[in-house]
Amino acid sequence: MAGYANVTGLADLLTEATKLAVRTIIVDVEPLVAFWDSDQRTLDQGIARVLGEIVTVPSVRAVVFSTNSARRPSVAPACEGIQVRYVASARKPLHTAPYRDLPRPGAVAGDQLPTDGVLAYRLGFTFLHYVPEMTGVPPGPALMHRWGELLRPLFR
């Protein structure tokens, strides 16, 4: 893996991405773009909001929204001059084919070490570990987060 950084929100993520001059950002959808089990409108608005912020990073040439869930946006996200993809049912970190041809250097922004962090490691990307203060996290992601804390020393 190229590196590791804690980020507490989108502003931190953009700061780190700018410092690293990443050409690709892979963004875990839940919870940075839309909270788990949120509605379609929230997902669509979250994608537009996050994409609108990421394009301010001058080096970015590709953005991938990735989720292990089956949820998809109403319309495929797009941005002039930047390659944008949405990968549903991504099977992170096992399935890396959708990310292999992306410009380097890159970063994976996500909240889970066992999925997003390992994906970053496998791709040779920096892991931007999104660690927000949250309540109401569903049991599955909460358990995955606790398990991931055991892996944290390997990522520093």
Side-chain angles (χ1 to χ4, degrees):
M1 179 169 46
Y4 174 92
N6 275 323
V7 295
T8 58
L10 189 55
D12 281 351
L13 187 154
L14 298 172
T15 299
E16 287 297 323
T18 300
K19 281 196 279 188
L20 296 167
V22 297
R23 297 185 69 214
T24 295
I25 299 178
I26 300 169
V27 180
D28 179 33
V29 172
E30 293 94 4
L32 186 60
V33 172
F35 206 69
W36 298 271
D37 299 325
S38 57
D39 63 15
Q40 187 67 47
R41 182 174 180 222
T42 301
L43 175 63
D44 293 341
Q45 289 175 342
I47 289 169
R49 176 183 53 82
V50 171
L51 184 58
E53 293 291 329
I54 289 175
V55 300
T56 66
V57 177
S59 59
V60 169
R61 299 292 171 259
V63 177
V64 180
F65 294 96
S66 181
T67 180
N68 282 341
S69 76
R71 70 192 297 191
R72 298 175 185 277
S74 299
V75 178
C79 182
E80 190 173 329
I82 294 179
Q83 177 185 10
V84 182
R85 298 180 193 169
Y86 188 96
V87 181
S89 303
R91 298 180 296 171
K92 297 178 287 182
L94 303 175
H95 195 226
T96 60
Y99 318 105
R100 292 265 179 214
D101 64 341
L102 296 167
R104 295 178 183 277
V108 176
D111 66 317
Q112 298 289 353
L113 283 162
T115 55
D116 308 311
V118 173
L119 178 64
Y121 174 81
R122 293 193 67 209
L123 296 173
F125 283 14
T126 296
F127 180 42
L128 301 178
H129 191 189
Y130 177 56
V131 188
E133 284 293 323
M134 290 191 300
T135 58
V137 176
L143 182 61
M144 177 85 68
H145 178 75
R146 281 193 223 78
W147 181 65
E149 288 302 309
L150 298 173
L151 297 175
R152 186 186 296 256
L154 300 174
F155 285 86
R156 291 194 175 193

